């Protein structure tokens, strides 16, 4: 078992993080190394699973399934509460490990680790009771939610622990067992959580395995897995859907987005600049629901742009482990190079860059906050999901036209509307093609609030009882007295 103290001393060490299969710590012959994105130094080694390890994990989850499914729901709910306690007891170590492997500063790490605890505690209160849909003295019809079996969880690198918990909590409380694979860029918090979890879960109920992208693909093809709960890019989501067809796996896909924010002319630009800034740049904009296109009415365009530039200048981009750092680096070199390429494209197209514009000259994957002034609507920085701190600010005059522009994307994850007149904002929100539309706020999530993407931003729902139902099949039982 990795001890909290060891985790805190991870920097530059080669401590081996382990997978958890059937309740046991499992190492492999082949290893990969997690890199601190703020320093580009190694943090720790983690196992690279092969097909044999996946088979072991799936068969242990299958063996654990009947007893876990047949346990009282209160037992499973209590297990989630105990998992929350385990994270809480190791809060400091998780915060440091998360900042070290993901790059986010302390405040963001507290949001994620605190959120993981909160989600486990709240999902522990959820259940889906049977429903008697007909009982007329002759016929009795009951619909019930039945566990699926083994759930395969696949997660990305922007919120590694929280997005794992969003899957683990409902999967387990619904009576399923699980094999979960974190991103190869950020496997450490999840591997450690998997080890800790064995203190409260029967062996085989939660297996955490690590490896490359091919491991994810093998999971989607594996006949022993009944459902894939996936968060990641739209491109990968399409591959998951294709290979999951092999045994008609159930799917929840939480994918990419290109979220618009629409600012109506009746706002005070100075008063909302800070909220709009963080709507875009939280977690260094590595946020599926970050504002990625900011549409501002022409009447307030200039003052709002100038307030945003002023605020951007006050924000400190630095190693997240340092007190006072507000934005960390991008999480990995692949994403850093992708965003650098996007910046180069804007510069070569002659876009006016109001802040940032080029990577910082220091070790680590640091890109400064970049604001681009009214680029053409078909520019790459407007059309593509940057998943990095590059925000195009776009001018509009006519509300119907801006709604059309906001919806002119293959994505439909989230959006926001900002207005003093909430009635007007609500009318705009109802015309936006997105799974979530916030009004005068962003990034409010809850275990009781349905979250999911429209169009190519995904399928299915996470959170709420709708999300819990996605970890179940439905069964109808119809009965009547024997006719004799
Ligand atoms: P990614 O699609 O590259 O990887 C996500 C996960 O899928 C990783 O664990 C990866 O190893 C695995 N994977 C890669 N190839 C696979 C394959 N062929 N089959 C199965 N699994 C495979 O995404 P990423 O770069 O880690 O994350 C960034 C993307 O995730 C962005 O597009 C972002 O918008 C999206 N995202 C969406 C949400 C949401 O809730 N909608 C949340 C966070 C991130």
């Amino acid at each position: 078992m990795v001890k909290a103290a060891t985790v805190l001393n991870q920097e530059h060490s080669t401590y081996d993080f382990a997978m958890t299969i059937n309740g046991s710590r499992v190492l492999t012959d082949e290893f990969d190394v997690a890199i601190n994105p703020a320093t580009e130094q190694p943090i720790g080694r983690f196992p690279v699973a092969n097909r044999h390890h996946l088979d072991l994990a799936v068969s242990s989850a299958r063996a654990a399934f009947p007893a876990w499914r047949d346990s009282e729901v209160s037992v499973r709910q209590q297990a989630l509460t105990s998992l929350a306690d385990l994270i809480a007891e190791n809060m400091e170590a998780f915060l440091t490990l998360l900042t070290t492997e993901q790059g986010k500063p302390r405040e963001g790490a507290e949001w994620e680790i605190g959120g993981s605890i909160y989600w486990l505690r709240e999902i522990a209160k959820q259940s889906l009771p049977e429903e008697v849909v007909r009982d007329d003295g002759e016929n009795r019809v009951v619909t019930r939610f039945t566990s699926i079996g083994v759930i395969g969880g696949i997660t990305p690198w922007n919120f590694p622990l929280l997005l794992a918990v969003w899957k683990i909590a409902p999967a387990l409380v619904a009576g399923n067992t699980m094999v979960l694979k974190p991103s190869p860029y950020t496997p450490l918090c999840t591997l450690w959580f998997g080890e800790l979890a064995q203190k409260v879960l029967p062996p085989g109920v939660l297996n955490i395995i690590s490896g490359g992208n091919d491991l994810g693909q093998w999971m989607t093809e594996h006949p022993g897995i009944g459902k894939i709960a996936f968060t990641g890019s739209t491109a990968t989501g399409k591959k998951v859907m294709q290979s999951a067809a092999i045994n008609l796996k159930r799917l929840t896909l939480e994918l990419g987005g290109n979220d618009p924010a629409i600012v109506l002319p009746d706002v005070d630009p100075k008063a909302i600049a800070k909220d709009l800034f963080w709507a875009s740049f939280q977690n260094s904009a590595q946020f599926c629901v970050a504002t990625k296109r900011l549409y501002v009415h022409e009447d307030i365009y200039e003052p709002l742009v100038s307030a945003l530039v002023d605020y951007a200048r006050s924000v400190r981009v630095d190693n997240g482990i340092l007190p006072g750092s507000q934005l960390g680096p991008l999480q990995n070199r692949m994403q850093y190079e992708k965003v650098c390429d996007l910046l180069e494209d804007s510069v070569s197209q002659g876009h006016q860059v109001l802040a940032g514009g080029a990577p910082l000259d220091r070790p680590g994957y640091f890109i400064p906050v970049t604001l681009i002034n009214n680029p053409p609507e078909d520019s790459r920085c407007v059309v593509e999901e940057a998943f990095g701190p590059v925000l195009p600010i776009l001018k509009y005059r006519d509300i119907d036209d801006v709604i059309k522009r906001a919806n002119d994307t293959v994505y439909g994850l989230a959006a926001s509307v900002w207005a003093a007149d909430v009635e007007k904002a609500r009318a705009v929100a109802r015309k936006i093609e997105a799974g979530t539309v916030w009004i005068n706020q962003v990034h409010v999530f809850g275990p009781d609030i349905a979250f999911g993407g429209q169009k190519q931003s995904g399928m299915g729902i996470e959170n709420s009882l709708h999300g819990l139902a996605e970890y179940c099949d439905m069964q109808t039982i119809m009965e009547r007295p024997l006719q004799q």
Side-chain angles (χ1 to χ4, degrees), residues 150-210:
V150 178
I151 308 296
I154 302 178
T155 51
W157 42 261
N158 54 348
F159 294 93
L161 191 64
L162 184 61
L163 294 179
V165 163
W166 278 23
K167 294 166 177 43
I168 293 166
L172 264 47
V173 86
N176 303 286
T177 56
M178 196 156 198
V179 176
L180 184 131
K181 182 200 88 65
S183 165
Y185 292 118
T186 52
L188 304 186
C189 280
T190 315
L191 286 169
W192 189 40
F193 173 69
E195 278 197 65
L196 287 174
Q198 304 315 309
K199 290 184 179 180
V200 300
L201 294 174
V205 168
L206 176 62
N207 305 273
I208 308 284
I209 56 175
S210 52

Side-chain angles (χ1 to χ4, degrees), residues 153-159 163 166-167 181-186 211-220 228 230-237 239-240 243 253-258 286-289 292 332 334-335 338 385 387 411 413 445 451-453 457-458 462:
I154 302 178
T155 51
W157 42 261
N158 54 348
F159 294 93
L163 294 179
W166 278 23
K167 294 166 177 43
K181 182 200 88 65
S183 165
Y185 292 118
T186 52
N213 293 342
D214 48 0
L215 179 61
Q217 168 145 7
W218 301 335
M219 286 172 68
T220 61
I228 294 285
F230 173 85
T231 302
S233 63
T234 295
T236 310
K239 291 185 195 163
V240 170
S243 43
L253 301 175
E254 295 291 356
L255 309 177
N258 194 6
Q286 301 162 114
F287 205 167
C288 52
V289 291
K292 291 167 186 145
N332 56 72
M334 178 273 303
Q335 191 62 27
K338 209 176 125 191
E385 182 194 31
F387 221 60
Y411 295 112
L413 192 56
F445 300 95
F451 175 70
S457 285
E462 289 198 290

